[in-house]
Amino acid sequence: MHDLERYLNVRSAYGASIGPAGTLAFLMDTTGTPQIWTLDEPAGWPEQRTFYDERVTFCSFSPERRELAFGMDEGGDEFTQLFRLDLDSGEVDPLTDTPDAIHYWGGWSHDGDRIAFAANRRDESVFDVYVQGRDERGEAAELVHEGDGWLALAGWSPDDDGLLVTEHTSSFDKDLYVLHLDSGDLEHVTPHDGDVRYNSPSWGPDGEAIYCCTDRDSDTLRLERLDLDSGAFAVVEDGGAWNVDGIALDDETGRLAFSRNVDGYTEITVGELTGTTEYDTRPAPDLPDGTAGGVSFGPDGEVFALSASSRTNNTNVHRVAFESGETEQWTRASTAGIPRSTFREPELVHYETFDGREIPAYFTLPAEDVRASAGVPVIVDIHGGPESQRRPSFSGLTQYFLSRGYAVFEPNVRGSTGYGKAYTHLDDVEKRMDSVQDIRAAVEWLTDQSAVDPDRIVAKGGSYGGFMVLAALTEYPDLWAAGVDSVGIANFVTFLENTGAWRQEHREAEYGSLDDDGEFLEAISPLNHADRITAPLFVLHGANDPRVPVGEAEQIVEEVRSQGVPVEKLIFEDEGHGISKLENKIEAYTTVVHFLDRHV
Ligand SMILES: CSCC[C@H](NC=O)C(=O)N[C@@H](C)C(=O)O
């Protein structure tokens, strides 16, 4: 048996970008925070390229030079700044220096001379679009569009005369625009009624079309082509019962890779456009049976890189030959000396809930030799979002709990993505607590499992999942041996009042508005029912959380403590919406484990 620190030292490599000469750049957390590393051959000794204590959030190779753009925030505040790294000199030049603004990377121009980004410098509640020379900095950026919403960018048109702009009204209602840089005109290319997603938008060859994953006219996301001249959509690939949830398209060759999310597992299709919607397929990459994404095409589309993970494979970067599908794992992120054979696979189960629906969930039992004879304790691990989905990717913490004899149960309750549009709306506003009933139904299912000890069930969750923990402990207090709330919402009213200004309307679209639903939101907020909590509670948070302000943690801790219920709090001054630094993860989860050892 290995200790927790070993499991937290299992590394990840992801976020790949292939440079003009084929060098692979990627993020890896070997030093305790994600930094940039490069490789020029598979399974070689990678070269570390950045050396910060803070996390690097992305890296993107210039299409023409041996230089990379990358992002980094401070203390988890998500106010990402942009930088340029010269691979030959090792020099890093700041591209932006507005520390109280968020900068979303928008890509290199095809000649590598300019960059684009969206930022809320002018007004923190909205995003503008900027273009900047690769060797310029800060105020030299040209403000090319003043936005009035939550904007991001999806790349330069093939002729570099336009930018693809996305607007996020809610997680299920987005819009696409083409910003014409010569005129400054913003062309709305997805006028629509109701909620429609236009995800993963990519320029098609010649800039005549946009390819994206959309649920326009469909319960699931389909790969479609939007003709920019006629405005007509055409289906390229229908995912059937499952979402086509991502596409990467090399706009110079028409080579593409798209993914289907099949009950949480990724299926990759590779092909080359032979028409507007027709494509010839190529062999699919050979990857672990889990999740994959982050496709980056290399020069001329001859190869592409992507990251892949499964419950028994930590996340690594693979490079795929486009024509043959030959797949090589290029990175060797460490498993900290823990044999992969000891990692446990989940069983995908479906359990009935209060209204007869079947809720999908991953259920993982510990190895026989560590199972308590009287029944195993269970961690009900609830994902965040709620517009999100727990999928079969690697988690060192989960494997640690399994090695300690816990079972782990990971439900995708109503409101989760990945199961069609209708399913994601089953928890909207006034239906919020139906999803908490799905958690009660999960415990009822677990109680029927002979291997489980029903008196040792823990509710654990992060972000929105933290809300679900607090809601489960208040609504069904007798079900739980303990609760672990990480960066969770305790009161929807104070959360919506204090979350980042740029995201308030977006989150009201999911939860309800302060103006119209304030009374309802107070009624369902766990803080207002903290007197019902009887299970010991552990609360984790980051002081710089821009999404769920740390006040949410302070409130619930104070209230539960006033009730005389055991509650522990751990707040990190250099973290935000989650724990990203290894040293903090070790402290946080060692403390959580000791808390569970005492109470479960
Ligand atoms: C834009 S979807 C928000 C997802 C994110 N993930 C964690 O659950 C999150 O911040 N969710 C909650 C806290 C929210 O802001 O609604």
Side-chain angles (χ1 to χ4, degrees):
M1 179 188 295
H2 297 291
D3 64 19
L4 171 63
E5 191 162 341
R6 287 288 288 277
Y7 281 89
L8 294 177
N9 268 284
V10 175
R11 308 305 193 184
S12 296
Y14 58 96
S17 179
I18 300 179
T23 297
L24 178 75
F26 56 96
L27 302 183
M28 187 161 64
D29 54 4
T30 293
T31 57
T33 56
Q35 297 300 314
I36 300 174
W37 297 70
T38 58
L39 273 170
D40 285 301
E41 58 187 13
W45 185 265
E47 186 165 357
Q48 185 174 352
R49 298 291 188 165
T50 56
F51 304 84
Y52 299 102
D53 293 334
E54 296 297 343
R55 61 184 178 182
V56 174
T57 54
F58 79 92
C59 68
S60 174
F61 241 120
S62 163
E64 292 298 326
R65 296 178 178 86
R66 281 177 53 78
E67 60 185 16
L68 286 149
F70 69 90
M72 186 164 59
D73 69 350
E74 179 81 26
D77 64 9
E78 299 183 18
F79 292 147
T80 300
Q81 301 303 307
L82 304 178
F83 303 85
R84 179 168 56 88
L85 164 66
D86 181 311
L87 278 191
D88 295 323
S89 70
E91 293 292 326
V92 174
D93 292 305
L95 292 166
T96 66
D97 53 11
T98 313
D100 59 352
I102 297 171
H103 295 79
Y104 293 136
W105 174 245
W108 293 93
S109 58
H110 289 74
D111 58 14
D113 291 342
R114 293 177 293 168
I115 64 169
F117 57 86
N120 61 347
R121 292 178 179 175
R122 177 173 60 88
D123 173 347
E124 70 162 341
S125 64
V126 295
F127 283 79
D128 301 326
V129 179
Y130 295 84
V131 168
Q132 182 176 313
R134 57 175 281 278
D135 53 0
E136 293 181 320
R137 172 179 180 173
E139 294 310 313
E142 180 188 0
L143 173 57
V144 293
H145 173 70
E146 285 195 8
D148 58 6
W150 196 353
L151 304 183
L153 300 180
W156 295 71
S157 59
D159 60 9
D160 286 341
D161 287 345
L163 287 170
L164 182 51
V165 180
T166 64
E167 181 174 25
H168 302 258
T169 304
S170 78
S171 292
F172 304 111
D173 189 26
K174 305 178 181 179
D175 271 288
L176 301 180
Y177 301 83
V178 172
L179 178 59
H180 298 280
L181 293 173
D182 50 1
S183 63
D185 291 346
L186 186 71
E187 180 186 3
H188 186 195
V189 296
T190 56
H192 65 276
D193 296 324
D195 289 355
V196 179
R197 287 176 287 182
Y198 300 95
N199 290 352
S200 190
S202 302
W203 286 99
D206 308 322
E208 295 170 355
I210 301 295
Y211 290 76
C212 66
C213 302
T214 177
D215 54 10
R216 159 198 96 81
D217 290 346
S218 169
D219 185 54
T220 55
L221 292 165
R222 302 185 298 195
L223 176 56
E224 297 201 18
R225 176 186 187 271
L226 166 59
D227 184 291
L228 291 175
D229 184 38
S230 67
F233 276 90
V235 177
V236 178
E237 188 74 29
D238 187 317
W242 305 109
N243 286 335
V244 177
D245 60 358
I247 175 176
L249 178 55
D250 180 72
D251 63 13
E252 296 182 357
T253 62
R255 292 178 167 185
L256 53 85
F258 63 83
S259 56
R260 286 174 74 239
N261 173 345
V262 181
D263 236 338
Y265 290 84
T266 302
E267 290 181 0
I268 300 278
T269 299
V270 179
E272 182 165 3
L273 289 174
T274 53
T276 54
T277 58
E278 302 76 24
Y279 64 90
D280 284 345
T281 58
R282 295 295 189 284
D286 177 20
L287 300 170
D289 186 23
T291 60
V295 171
S296 166
F297 275 98
D300 306 322
E302 293 302 323
V303 297
F304 63 88
L306 76 172
S307 53
S309 173
S310 76
R311 281 299 162 94
T312 57
N313 288 274
N314 56 324
T315 306
N316 270 293
V317 173
H318 301 251
R319 199 182 79 156
V320 183
F322 176 79
E323 288 294 349
S324 67
E326 181 189 355
T327 307
E328 285 184 285
Q329 183 179 324
W330 268 47
T331 62
R332 290 287 186 276
S334 165
T335 62
I338 303 171
R340 254 183 8 86
S341 60
T342 64
F343 298 144
R344 306 279 298 166
E345 287 280 1
E347 176 190 357
L348 178 58
V349 301
H350 295 79
Y351 66 92
E352 186 173 346
T353 188
F354 71 97
D355 60 0
R357 291 181 188 279
E358 292 288 303
I359 305 295
Y362 298 100
F363 181 46
T364 314
L365 280 169
E368 293 273 358
D369 62 350
V370 294
R371 289 183 197 175
S373 53
V376 298
V378 185
I379 291 178
V380 177
D381 190 350
I382 308 166
H383 72 70
E387 315 94 312
S388 183
Q389 180 187 12
R390 182 59 57 84
R391 301 181 67 177
S393 50
F394 187 82
S395 162
L397 182 62
T398 298
Q399 295 297 335
Y400 170 74
F401 280 120
L402 290 162
S403 76
R404 287 286 311 278
Y406 283 88
V408 178
F409 190 84
E410 302 160 272
N412 281 311
V413 299
R414 67 190 67 214
S416 302
T417 51
Y419 305 96
K421 191 189 302 186
Y423 192 79
T424 60
H425 289 296
L426 290 175
D427 68 341
D428 288 1
V429 193
E430 74 285 351
K431 294 175 282 189
R432 179 69 43 211
M433 302 310 278
D434 290 353
S435 61
V436 186
Q437 289 197 67
D438 291 342
I439 297 296
R440 177 180 61 176
V443 174
E444 290 167 356
W445 183 89
L446 286 166
T447 302
D448 289 342
Q449 308 310 306
S450 58
V452 165
D453 180 346
D455 295 327
R456 303 179 67 197
I457 300 179
V458 177
K460 170 180 173 287
S463 189
Y464 176 80
F467 155 73
M468 290 292 275
V469 167
L470 298 176
L473 264 59
T474 52
E475 295 297 310
Y476 312 109
D478 299 337
L479 298 184
W480 310 102
V484 180
D485 158 26
S486 174
V487 294
I489 298 168
N491 181 313
F492 277 110
V493 172
T494 52
F495 157 71
L496 289 170
E497 287 170 344
N498 299 306
T499 194
W502 62 92
R503 66 195 314 274
Q504 182 182 33
E505 286 183 20
H506 186 283
R507 303 323 291 147
E508 286 187 300
E510 171 65 29
Y511 299 123
S513 77
L514 288 168
D515 293 341
D516 303 333
D517 305 298
E519 191 173 328
F520 168 75
L521 292 170
E522 288 286 9
I524 65 167
S525 290
L527 180 67
N528 296 327
H529 305 291
D531 58 314
R532 298 178 191 163
I533 294 178
T534 56
L537 175 64
F538 195 102
V539 178
L540 268 174
H541 220 107
N544 308 316
D545 190 335
R547 304 187 191 196
V548 180
V550 67
E552 294 300 299
E554 301 287 8
Q555 293 181 95
I556 194 68
V557 167
E558 181 181 345
E559 190 57 38
V560 172
R561 191 167 281 161
S562 73
Q563 307 290 334
V565 174
V567 58
E568 291 188 34
K569 174 180 76 172
L570 193 48
I571 292 176
F572 291 90
E573 293 306 316
D574 59 348
E575 297 283 5
H577 194 61
I579 313 296
S580 66
K581 295 180 176 71
L582 179 59
E583 59 185 353
N584 293 340
K585 287 180 184 175
I586 292 170
E587 179 184 353
Y589 296 115
T590 300
T591 312
V592 167
V593 168
H594 292 161
F595 167 82
L596 295 177
D597 287 347
R598 285 195 301 278
H599 297 293
V600 179

